């Protein structure tokens, strides 16, 4: 008798993990597949999809399970998952994370917000929503978000044995990083115990969400004749806020000495300056604040700051929008004149 709670027409139970580089979704997918195959004797496969493999870029990890007698001949990306794990809330801005979700599917989100707010952001009509504050757990245990998310996923996937995942954690870390074994097991257990659920009634005849594949803005059918770029190349419109993994720098103007050490190490357009005069009437550039649209939370500025003007903080919903000091790029946004 199959232990899988449901299967699609090919006999697969499918999971899709939505994340960004740096949160460990790729490793989480591997460990999840390993626990099902080696621990429960299921057939399974795992692979990930990502671009330049850099911190902050979107990552997807796919896991398929099936009964031992079913062969896996499908290695395409998972478009209609039964379970989705969202490792990073800001992905809502860049990716339709619930695209293709089964009508009565389950979405697990790393968040500290209430269910209804998350449901509204996800544009989730029905199904089960699970939430866990994986970032706080990882910070307190000095581990990574992926282990806390694995613990929560094991509550979602009741057919999996949590003890087998603990064995996988031990095998993964004990040789090279033995000091990380116990903290990661604690993180896994907290994720398992602290996840909460809310079910939104699924109406009879409800359909799965339609899967949408992102298309490039310009292709061979839509490219301007001759391939002409009509404006100078720039990244002014780029929003890097989705790359932050939960932290950002907080600026205190009262302790800032305007030394520009932060701007020297910043890889993007984060810091906004204005010209002024010091107490002696000499012209000087003064730091106005941070344009959080371009901040990916690398925190190099915090390390470089010689005072306490820049401090790292866990990002709170709305903080970046309320405290953002916008850049002005008149020659770029309005065209060169």
């Amino acid at each position: 008798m199959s232990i899988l709670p449901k299967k699609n027409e090919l006999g697969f139970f499918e999971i899709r993990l939505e994340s960004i580089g740096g949160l460990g979704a790729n490793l989480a997918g591997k460990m999840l597949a390993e626990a099902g195959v080696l621990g429960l004797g299921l057939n399974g496969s795992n692979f990930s999809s990502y671009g330049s493999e850099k911190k902050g870029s979107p990552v997807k990890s796919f896991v398929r399970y099936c009964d031992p007698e079913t062969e896996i001949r499908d290695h395409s990306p998972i478009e209609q998952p039964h379970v989705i794990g969202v490792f990073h809330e800001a992905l809502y801005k860049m990716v339709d994370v619930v695209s293709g979700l089964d009508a009565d599917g389950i979405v697990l989100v790393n968040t500290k917000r209430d269910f209804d707010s998350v449901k509204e952001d996800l544009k989730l009509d029905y199904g089960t929503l699970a939430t866990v504050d994986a970032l706080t757990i990882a910070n307190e245990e000095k581990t990574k978000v992926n282990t806390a998310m694995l613990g929560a996923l094991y509550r979602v996937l009741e057919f999996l044995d949590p003890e087998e995942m603990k064995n996988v954690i031990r095998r993964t870390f004990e040789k090279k990083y033995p000091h990380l074994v116990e903290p990661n097991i604690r993180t896994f257990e907290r994720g398992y115990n602290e996840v909460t659920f809310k079910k939104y009634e699924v109406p009879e005849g409800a359909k799965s969400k339609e899967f949408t594949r992102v298309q490039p803005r310009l292709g061979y059918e839509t490219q301007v004749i001759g391939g002409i770029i009509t404006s100078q190349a720039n990244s002014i419109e780029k929003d890097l806020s989705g790359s932050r993994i939960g932290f950002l720098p907080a600026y205190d103007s009262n302790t800032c000495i305007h030394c520009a050490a932060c701007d020297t190490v910043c890889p993007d357009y984060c810091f906004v300056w204005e010209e002024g005069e010091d107490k002696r009437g000499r012209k000087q550039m003064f730091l106005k604040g941070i344009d959080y649209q371009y901040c990916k939370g690398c925190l190099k500025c915090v390390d470089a700051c010689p005072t306490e003007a820049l401090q790292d903080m866990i990002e709170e919903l709305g903080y970046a929008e309320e405290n953002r000091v916008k850049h002005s790029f008149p020659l770029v946004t309005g065209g060169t004149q």
Side-chain angles (χ1 to χ4, degrees):
M1 183 177 177
S2 176
I3 63 172
L4 296 172
K6 61 179 75 173
K7 291 176 279 191
N8 63 17
E9 64 277 6
L10 297 177
F12 301 141
F13 181 86
E14 299 183 324
I15 305 162
R16 189 173 74 220
L17 306 181
E18 301 273 1
S19 183
I20 61 172
L23 294 182
N26 186 21
L27 178 59
K30 290 178 181 177
M31 296 172 73
L32 200 59
E34 182 180 337
V37 172
L38 299 182
L40 296 175
L42 295 169
N43 275 350
S45 69
N46 158 253
F47 60 98
S48 297
S49 170
Y50 43 80
S52 56
E53 202 175 0
K54 66 181 180 180
K55 184 177 181 180
S57 58
V59 171
K60 297 179 187 289
S61 186
F62 309 103
V63 179
R64 280 190 174 94
Y65 291 128
C66 59
D67 296 323
E69 62 274 11
T70 302
E71 292 187 15
I72 298 180
R73 298 179 181 273
D74 182 2
H75 299 284
S76 60
I78 292 172
E79 297 184 350
Q80 293 184 305
H82 299 99
V83 174
I84 293 175
V86 183
F87 282 50
H88 187 39
E89 274 195 285
L91 273 170
Y92 306 162
K93 298 179 181 179
M94 303 185 291
V95 180
D96 181 6
V97 293
V98 296
S99 176
L101 179 67
D102 195 53
D104 59 347
I106 303 174
V107 183
L108 169 66
V109 183
N110 169 21
T111 183
K112 59 174 66 176
R113 294 193 295 145
D114 64 275
F115 288 106
D116 292 340
S117 298
V118 177
K119 174 179 177 286
E120 184 178 350
D121 281 350
L122 288 174
K123 297 180 175 58
L124 193 68
D125 301 317
Y126 34 74
T128 301
L129 183 59
T131 63
V132 64
D133 189 1
L135 180 61
T136 297
I137 295 172
N139 287 337
E140 291 175 354
E141 299 295 343
K142 295 180 173 56
T143 54
K144 280 197 170 187
V145 165
N146 59 346
T147 313
M149 288 294 287
L150 275 172
L153 281 165
Y154 262 68
R155 277 287 298 278
V156 172
L157 307 169
E158 295 180 342
F159 61 91
L160 294 177
D161 180 7
E163 292 304 316
E164 180 55 35
M165 177 49 71
K166 293 178 187 178
N167 292 333
V168 172
I169 291 172
R170 292 187 182 94
R171 289 196 298 269
T172 302
F173 293 106
E174 63 186 357
K175 288 185 179 179
K176 287 188 176 181
Y177 311 105
H179 61 288
L180 295 179
V181 172
E182 290 308 315
N184 274 282
I185 288 177
R186 287 198 303 271
T187 302
F188 176 83
E189 290 175 340
R190 287 189 60 184
Y192 185 89
N193 292 320
E194 295 178 24
V195 64
T196 53
F197 297 85
K198 183 171 182 179
K199 186 168 184 178
Y200 295 92
E201 197 63 36
V202 182
E204 190 172 344
K207 295 182 179 179
S208 302
K209 279 190 168 291
E210 183 180 352
F211 179 80
T212 53
R213 186 176 287 106
V214 178
Q215 299 295 327
R217 292 171 63 184
L218 292 176
Y220 76 95
E221 291 183 338
T222 55
Q223 179 63 273
V224 178
I225 294 176
I228 298 171
I229 299 176
T230 57
S231 64
Q232 65 272 38
N234 66 76
S235 57
I236 300 304
E237 296 182 358
K238 182 71 173 177
D239 188 343
L240 298 179
S241 61
S243 300
R244 294 194 287 267
I245 60 173
F247 296 90
L248 48 66
Y251 175 57
D252 178 13
S253 59
N254 295 322
T255 54
C256 180
I257 59 175
H258 311 285
C259 65
C262 53
D263 209 0
T264 302
V265 299
C266 179
D268 298 293
Y269 295 112
C270 295
F271 295 96
V272 183
W273 299 83
E274 65 179 351
E275 188 176 336
E277 294 183 351
D278 63 14
K279 294 178 180 178
R280 297 182 181 181
R282 296 174 298 187
K283 288 190 180 298
Q284 182 180 330
M285 299 300 291
F286 293 88
L287 181 60
K288 288 178 63 179
I290 301 173
D291 192 337
Y292 287 109
Q293 175 179 332
Y294 306 108
C295 177
K296 55 177 176 270
C298 68
L299 302 181
K300 291 179 181 178
C301 57
V302 176
D303 294 335
C305 183
T307 69
E308 294 185 350
L310 291 168
Q311 295 285 325
D312 62 305
M313 64 168 285
I314 295 177
E315 184 172 0
E316 298 172 357
L317 187 68
Y319 178 88
E321 289 75 13
E322 293 169 7
N323 293 276
R324 177 189 176 195
V325 177
K326 292 185 179 181
H327 269 296
S328 176
F329 298 114
L331 295 180
V332 176
T333 55
T336 53
Q337 298 177 6

